[in-house]
Amino acid sequence: MARRGKRVGLLDGDIFGPTVPLLMNVHSEPIVNDKNLIIPPQNYNVKCLSMGMLTPLESAVIWRGPLVMSAIQRLLRGAEWGLLDVLIIDTPPGTGDVHLSLSQHAPITGVILVTTPHTAAVQVTLKGAKMFEKLKVPIFGVVENMGYTICNNCYQPMQFFQDSLMNSLPRKLISLPLDSHISDCNESGVPVVIKYPESDYANLFTKLAREISEILDRQNCSKQEVNDGLLP
């Protein structure tokens, strides 16, 4: 989305297992301005904020629900995100305090569900879909992650899981492969669209970003102002 000219923010909503610092190669501790607002660090033209930037790498966050919800509010409303077109919030699996807090206190435009096609993972995702339906939060669709790999001999896609409940989920937006190029990018903190911009893998992520942008544009919600860390 950032490569397509959008002003993008990425908030890591996984308090217990934050991954954004690794995936986006942002490890510096954010600074706080004179208004006591956190200034999100930026990389690849994306503003990023995560609990992983505020706690030591080896430490474990052991908090009950109220503290988790307070941390989410701090990251969301206690940061100076500035003017954004889209703020993407990466959440943990399931239907926990993070999802409920965001659904109740943030103006969510829509949800993208991400799952592997394994039956156990799909069952958890299906519960998440039911939760957002009850909360009347729009679901844009599903991203099938690690749904297949490309055979090194015949170069044809090979599926890992033949039977699943994928058809019981909302509309599939795209299927992403399990591939060493993507894995290497994750480990090095360089997005595949940056490291391999002309690859088939980058094209898949670009296609997904384009489709989500089009959904947002159709809803006239692609431009959302965030002033002084306070969402409208």
Side-chain angles (χ1 to χ4, degrees):
M1 283 185 169
R3 293 185 69 208
R4 289 170 53 83
K6 298 287 187 182
R7 293 165 294 191
V8 181
L10 175 59
L11 191 156
D12 193 343
D14 195 339
I15 301 300
F16 300 108
T19 55
V20 165
L22 171 64
L23 298 178
M24 295 296 289
N25 195 24
V26 179
H27 303 283
S28 59
E29 183 176 347
I31 62 174
V32 178
N33 65 14
D34 55 3
K35 297 179 182 178
N36 198 33
L37 296 175
I38 303 172
I39 307 298
Q42 185 167 308
N43 200 11
Y44 310 117
N45 205 29
V46 175
K47 295 180 180 179
C48 307
L49 196 55
S50 168
M51 183 58 66
M53 302 173 187
L54 305 173
T55 57
L57 180 62
E58 300 80 8
S59 65
V61 176
I62 307 173
W63 290 348
R64 294 187 183 276
L67 286 176
V68 173
M69 296 170 73
S70 177
I72 290 294
Q73 290 297 317
R74 173 62 171 162
L75 294 175
L76 181 66
R77 299 181 181 274
E80 188 155 323
W81 290 100
L83 187 63
L84 297 177
D85 294 311
V86 59
L87 176 62
I88 299 171
I89 305 176
D90 180 34
T91 64
T95 56
D97 295 321
V98 170
H99 310 83
L100 186 59
S101 179
L102 289 172
S103 299
Q104 292 177 335
H105 301 293
I108 299 177
T109 306
V111 170
I112 303 164
L113 303 170
V114 182
T115 182
T116 62
H118 188 279
T119 299
V122 173
Q123 288 176 343
V124 174
T125 306
L126 183 59
K127 292 179 180 179
K130 296 297 184 183
M131 179 195 70
F132 287 117
E133 288 175 0
K134 287 184 177 180
L135 295 172
K136 301 188 184 305
V137 177
I139 298 176
F140 290 166
V142 179
V143 173
E144 183 184 63
N145 194 25
M146 297 186 287
Y148 64 96
T149 189
I150 302 298
C151 176
N152 291 329
N153 295 319
C154 66
Y155 301 103
Q156 295 298 312
M158 298 173 53
Q159 292 184 323
F160 295 105
F161 310 106
Q162 298 300 324
D163 297 319
S164 74
L165 301 173
M166 285 297 297
N167 291 335
S168 62
L169 292 173
R171 178 176 68 99
K172 185 191 295 185
L173 296 172
I174 205 164
S175 182
L176 300 174
L178 173 63
D179 186 88
S180 59
H181 293 81
I182 299 175
S183 300
D184 291 342
C185 289
N186 292 341
E187 292 291 334
S188 62
V190 182
V192 67
V193 294
I194 302 295
K195 192 169 185 177
Y196 304 108
E198 305 301 325
S199 67
D200 292 339
Y201 317 106
N203 289 337
L204 288 172
F205 284 97
T206 300
K207 179 182 177 182
L208 176 61
R210 184 186 305 114
E211 182 162 0
I212 295 171
S213 296
E214 291 172 354
I215 294 174
L216 292 172
D217 290 339
R218 286 197 298 269
Q219 295 191 8
N220 294 320
C221 293
S222 62
K223 293 188 181 300
Q224 184 178 66
E225 188 173 357
V226 184
N227 286 325
D228 297 327
L230 298 176
L231 288 168

